[in-house]
Amino acid sequence: DSLGATPVGGAKGPDPKQFVDAFRKSQEMGMPKDPVAPGDTWNFEDAIEMAPLGTMKIKGTGKFDSIVDYEGRKHAKLIIDGVFTSPAAAPGAPAPAIQFNDGSSMRVETLFDLERRASSSSTVNSELKMNAAGQEIPVSQKVTTKLIKVEDAK
């Protein structure tokens, strides 16, 4: 609740709830919907609402690469590749302040703890080609998320 909406590209950024919802969805996006085994692949298509970008569409493939040992526990190593697009604005609606150009992509490596049934580590590498006010803005981003503690809820 204490996060304030921040300006992004001259427009109002996400409020705290939008930011948390988008972060949660980004962690789930691309994960298989059905059970998979090492070597299996799947396709996915999803969307995230993120002000001021509006709807970001993501389409890609996933692969259950292997089972690995991570911090003494067995994990599924998942590799996810995807591309970002910005859908066209509805007729009569203003275009979003920032849009994704062709070539915006991501690669995700997730280590999923098979016993806890939770992601222990995730690294997202994104190469974004954003367009703001007619100007292309290339953005390279690496986001690493790591589970540091598991405890019972009170």
Side-chain angles (χ1 to χ4, degrees):
D1 287 339
S2 65
L3 288 174
T6 58
V8 178
K12 184 180 176 189
D15 66 31
K17 183 179 181 332
Q18 290 170 317
F19 181 80
V20 170
D21 287 346
F23 179 77
R24 178 196 46 78
K25 187 156 190 177
S26 75
Q27 296 296 300
E28 297 169 353
M29 182 180 44
M31 298 293 266
K33 304 296 184 222
D34 298 311
V36 291
D40 286 351
T41 61
W42 60 92
N43 296 318
F44 70 93
E45 193 167 341
D46 212 335
I48 296 177
E49 281 293 324
M50 179 66 84
L53 302 174
T55 302
M56 299 184 304
K57 290 195 173 191
I58 301 95
K59 184 176 185 177
T61 59
K63 179 180 181 185
F64 186 157
D65 184 73
S66 57
I67 295 178
V68 298
D69 181 70
Y70 177 71
E71 296 185 347
R73 303 176 68 85
K74 290 201 182 302
H75 285 72
K77 180 179 176 182
L78 307 175
I79 306 292
I80 299 164
D81 290 297
V83 294
F84 293 91
T85 58
S86 296
I98 300 173
Q99 293 184 301
F100 290 108
N101 288 348
D102 289 344
S104 294
S105 65
M106 68 169 186
R107 175 160 250 231
V108 182
E109 181 177 308
T110 297
L111 297 179
F112 186 84
D113 188 316
L114 295 171
E115 182 183 335
R116 288 180 175 154
R117 305 187 58 75
S119 178
S120 293
S121 172
S122 180
T123 300
V124 180
N125 289 294
S126 300
E127 294 296 328
L128 306 175
K129 296 178 180 177
M130 302 171 84
N131 186 318
Q135 203 171 18
E136 186 167 284
I137 304 166
V139 176
S140 293
Q141 182 180 35
K142 181 178 182 176
V143 177
T144 301
T145 307
K146 183 177 178 183
L147 180 65
I148 56 173
K149 186 177 181 180
V150 175
E151 60 184 38
D152 292 335
K154 296 180 181 184

